[in-house]
Amino acid sequence: MTKIAVFGSGSGTNFDAIMKWINNGKLQAEVVLVVCDQKGAGIIEKAEREGLETFVFSAKDYASKAEYEAVLVEKMRLLGVQWVVLAGFMRLVGETLLNAYPHHIINIHPSLLPAYKGKDAIGQAYRAKATKIGVTIHYVDEGMDTGEIIAQKAIELTGNESLEEVAYMIHAVEHGLYPATLEMLFTKEKSLCL
Ligand code: GAR
């Protein structure tokens, strides 16, 4: 069973989708830690409901990114974490974490990267009147929403959708694409290790 840590800052609907796949046996993984940088975020409540170990931190309580990432790496090593799964984690990953998990940190972003990087990607695409939007899953590097692309799924819009409808469509794609991509990555890695 692949051991993963899920990192989030928000409502945790992607975390929920991953848990659904795990709980019904479609994703061969175990979430051994949920990390959150926002006290009171929905993802924490959801993780606690699942009975999972959580680590909530505030970046301002640490002298630097390297300092809190060293704490996270230590924790994850003790728990045997193999993959770090960012699910709405709104913070750039630094070299301490990147060096500890080379090519094993992945992120989901609600746009067809390289278009609309950064915060509020759905709003950015909507205001630009984009008619082809989508979701990207990619390896994490030191940049913001850069890194090698693993999977993308596009959605065509008519241009008559409201922002809420577009957001709903994006999230529906995310909740299928993320767990399916994780399953593909973990299965591939297991077959390479045999
Ligand atoms: C998701 O839409 C995810 O793609 C986005 O944050 C949302 C988190 O929602 N991530 C980014 O924008 C990363 N740059 P959730 O907490 O309900 O899963």
Side-chain angles (χ1 to χ4, degrees):
M1 197 70 82
T2 304
K3 292 187 175 181
I4 66 174
V6 180
F7 284 36
S9 307
S11 57
T13 63
N14 279 285
F15 162 73
D16 235 6
I18 290 167
M19 286 313 299
K20 279 204 184 86
W21 275 53
I22 289 176
N23 290 337
N24 66 25
K26 279 163 61 184
L27 173 58
Q28 304 301 307
E30 184 189 354
V31 178
V32 294
L33 183 66
V34 175
V35 173
C36 180
D37 64 337
Q38 300 294 329
K39 292 195 176 76
I43 188 170
I44 290 304
E45 193 190 313
K46 290 182 169 74
E48 284 171 353
R49 218 182 298 143
E50 293 282 342
L52 299 175
E53 180 163 346
T54 59
F55 181 73
V56 185
F57 73 99
S58 184
K60 61 176 172 14
D61 294 341
Y62 296 85
S64 63
K65 188 186 286 284
E67 197 176 284
Y68 70 71
E69 287 193 345
V71 173
L72 291 172
V73 168
E74 163 89 11
K75 239 182 183 330
M76 291 196 289
R77 288 238 163 97
L78 285 172
L79 292 165
V81 170
Q82 296 163 276
W83 286 82
V84 177
V85 175
L86 307 187
F89 186 64
M90 303 310 259
R91 201 168 275 284
L92 279 182
V93 171
E95 60 178 20
T96 307
L97 198 48
L98 287 168
N99 291 340
Y101 284 92
H103 232 61
H104 280 72
I105 309 177
I106 50 182
N107 182 43
I108 184 162
H109 186 72
S111 79
L112 289 177
L113 289 172
Y116 312 117
K117 293 181 183 135
K119 286 190 180 148
D120 189 25
I122 301 174
Q124 290 183 51
Y126 188 78
R127 287 187 292 277
K129 303 197 190 314
T131 52
K132 193 173 176 194
I133 57 163
V135 173
T136 303
I137 317 266
H138 63 95
Y139 289 105
V140 172
D141 63 13
E142 61 289 335
M144 187 194 288
D145 302 318
T146 51
E148 186 193 335
I149 292 173
I150 303 166
Q152 284 188 310
K153 195 160 178 178
I155 302 168
E156 304 278 351
L157 298 178
T158 61
N160 294 323
E161 296 85 356
S162 67
L163 178 59
E164 291 69 29
E165 283 166 336
V166 173
Y168 181 87
M169 291 160 89
I170 288 277
H171 295 311
V173 168
E174 287 191 325
H175 299 162
L177 188 65
Y178 212 5
T181 304
L182 295 177
E183 176 58 14
M184 182 273 291
L185 284 172
F186 301 163
T187 306
K188 197 161 106 188
E189 184 165 67
K190 265 184 258 160
S191 71
L192 289 174
C193 292
L194 285 178

